[in-house]
């Protein structure tokens, strides 16, 4: 893993595959470090000929933290009270493009998961000449009329996070049980290993809160999403309890010519048995976009 200055901050990143292949920039979701794009998944994409780049978004992992901004009141923001974010999704999108600049990459395929999908959408409409194709996985549009997250799921995601390693791993495992794909086996051993690695690498829950506020403040940019011209693939599970399938469907409806792949039984995660189908779909999409 390496660190580089981009868009005025330090960004931790990692690469897989031949750097002479087409670049594929992976953007992970809110509060999740780049290691949630697991090495095995990245290697599968690299085997399809991609130069895969994953990175820590600002305020998470080993990239620059915004301690001076303090911890925002997410509940107040979600209730409609005025709260000023420390940064915006536009800033986070500019980080992604700044990383491409620093790596001397003119154009890239861009893929985002969850909140990372929203950031990828911003990259696509804010920096259209830099995007070869867009893939949005288990993401949404910010439309307030879409189905709301169930109260029990929301409570699990935003309950206080323990600062002791084993308590953290258990707490986060319980959260992921709520988000997991009901059509696939619950991979507890894999999950606990990843969560332990995440804790050891960077325990920093306040970054998740500030990223969450950036999402709330972003709102619904319907016309901007509809202006995206990059060939787009939307991948979504039909059992997602956090960002509903309707959010994926709307994303695909808004972006001209977008394709929608619905994965039966998938929730708000990337279950290992679904990797081949997701990677194959992404590889086909990128090949078609390059024609």
């Amino acid at each position: 893993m390496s660190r580089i200055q981009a868009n005025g901050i330090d960004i931790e990143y990692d690469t897989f595959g031949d750097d002479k292949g087409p670049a594929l920039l992976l953007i992970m979701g809110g509060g999740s470090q780049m290691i949630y794009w697991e090495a095995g998944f990245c290697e599968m994409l690299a085997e399809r000929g991609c130069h895969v780049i994953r990175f820590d978004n600002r305020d998470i992992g080993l990239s620059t933290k915004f301690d001076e901004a303090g911890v925002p009141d997410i509940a107040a923001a979600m209730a409609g009270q005025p709260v000023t974010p420390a940064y915006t999704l536009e800033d986070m999108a500019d980080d992604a493009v700044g990383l491409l600049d620093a790596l001397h990459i003119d154009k890239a395929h861009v893929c985002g998961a969850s909140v990372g999908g929203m950031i990828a959408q911003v990259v696509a409409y804010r920096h259209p000449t830099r995007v070869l194709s867009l893939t949005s996985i288990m993401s949404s549009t910010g439309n307030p009329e879409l189905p709301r997250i169930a109260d029990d799921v929301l409570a699990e995601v935003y309950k206080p996070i323990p600062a002791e390693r084993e308590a953290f791993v258990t707490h986060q495992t319980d959260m992921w049980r709520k988000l997991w794909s009901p059509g696939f086996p619950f991979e507890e051993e894999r999950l606990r290993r990843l969560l332990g690695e995440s804790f050891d690498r960077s325990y920093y829950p306040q970054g998740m809160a500030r990223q969450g506020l950036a999402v709330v403040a972003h709102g619904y940019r319907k016309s901007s999403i509809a202006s995206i011209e990059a060939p787009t693939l939307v991948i979504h599970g039909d059992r997602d309890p956090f960002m509903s399938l309707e959010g994926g469907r709307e994303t695909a409806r808004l972006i001209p010519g977008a394709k929608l792949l619905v994965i039966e039984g998938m929730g708000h995660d990337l279950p290992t048995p679904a990797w081949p189908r997701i990677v194959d779909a992404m590889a086909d999409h990128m090949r078609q976009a390059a024609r």
Side-chain angles (χ1 to χ4, degrees):
M1 296 182 184
S2 304
R3 186 172 301 174
I4 200 166
Q5 276 216 327
N7 197 33
I9 64 171
D10 291 331
I11 295 179
E12 187 81 5
Y13 74 98
D14 197 7
T15 65
F16 298 80
D18 187 345
D19 63 6
K20 295 180 178 60
L24 168 59
L25 185 67
L26 300 178
I27 307 176
M28 189 34 79
S32 297
Q33 300 176 46
M34 68 176 175
I35 59 173
Y36 284 80
W37 293 114
E38 292 173 72
F41 183 83
C42 294
E43 288 163 356
M44 288 176 69
L45 287 162
E47 287 168 3
R48 304 305 200 275
C50 297
H51 177 217
V52 180
I53 306 159
R54 62 178 183 174
F55 69 100
D56 285 327
N57 284 309
R58 61 169 61 200
D59 229 1
I60 208 72
L62 302 181
S63 291
T64 293
K65 310 294 195 304
F66 287 72
D67 294 303
E68 69 282 357
V71 181
D73 188 340
I74 289 289
M78 294 180 72
Q81 297 178 30
V83 182
T84 302
Y87 45 80
T88 64
L89 290 194
E90 284 82 2
D91 293 323
M92 298 179 77
D94 291 351
D95 292 345
V97 174
L99 176 58
L100 295 179
D101 289 339
L103 296 175
H104 308 292
I105 295 171
D106 183 47
K107 296 175 182 286
H109 300 281
V110 179
C111 171
S114 190
V115 169
M118 300 178 79
I119 297 169
Q121 292 169 20
V122 179
V123 172
Y125 66 67
R126 187 172 170 87
H127 303 279
T129 63
R130 308 299 298 275
V131 179
L132 293 169
S133 74
L134 170 65
T135 301
S136 179
I137 303 175
M138 58 184 175
S139 192
S140 194
T141 63
N143 185 349
E145 295 184 3
L146 290 172
R148 289 173 51 83
I149 303 166
D151 289 341
D152 63 324
V153 173
L154 200 59
E156 194 71 40
V157 170
Y158 285 108
K159 71 182 183 183
I161 300 175
E164 190 273 323
R165 189 184 193 274
E166 285 309 307
F168 169 86
V169 170
T170 298
H171 169 281
Q172 293 295 91
T173 300
D174 290 342
M175 180 195 77
W176 281 106
R177 287 184 197 276
K178 292 278 190 182
L179 303 178
W180 201 264
S181 300
F184 295 83
F186 183 64
E187 301 173 69
E188 184 165 353
E189 182 179 348
R190 167 200 168 200
L191 184 57
R192 294 184 72 92
R193 182 176 64 250
L194 181 59
L195 291 168
E197 183 183 351
S198 173
F199 183 92
D200 295 341
R201 189 170 181 267
S202 176
Y203 171 81
Y204 197 70
Q206 52 268 54
M208 177 180 177
R210 289 191 289 266
Q211 290 181 355
L213 183 58
V215 175
V216 173
H218 188 71
Y220 184 30
R221 307 292 178 91
K222 181 178 181 179
S223 61
S224 295
I225 296 170
S227 74
I228 292 173
E229 297 180 352
T232 299
L233 170 65
V234 177
I235 301 174
H236 217 106
D238 66 351
R239 301 291 298 277
D240 193 324
F242 193 71
M243 290 191 174
S244 69
L245 175 57
E246 285 76 6
R249 290 191 190 281
E250 184 180 48
T251 304
R253 282 197 304 269
L254 287 176
I255 300 174
K259 298 173 292 185
L260 174 65
L261 170 62
V262 178
I263 298 183
E264 299 79 7
M266 192 171 91
H268 200 70
D269 66 290
L270 294 172
T272 304
W275 286 6
R277 188 175 178 192
I278 292 170
V279 168
D280 285 347
M282 290 177 62
D284 288 345
H285 175 59
M286 289 183 284
R287 277 195 298 269
Q288 292 174 23
R291 290 175 182 168

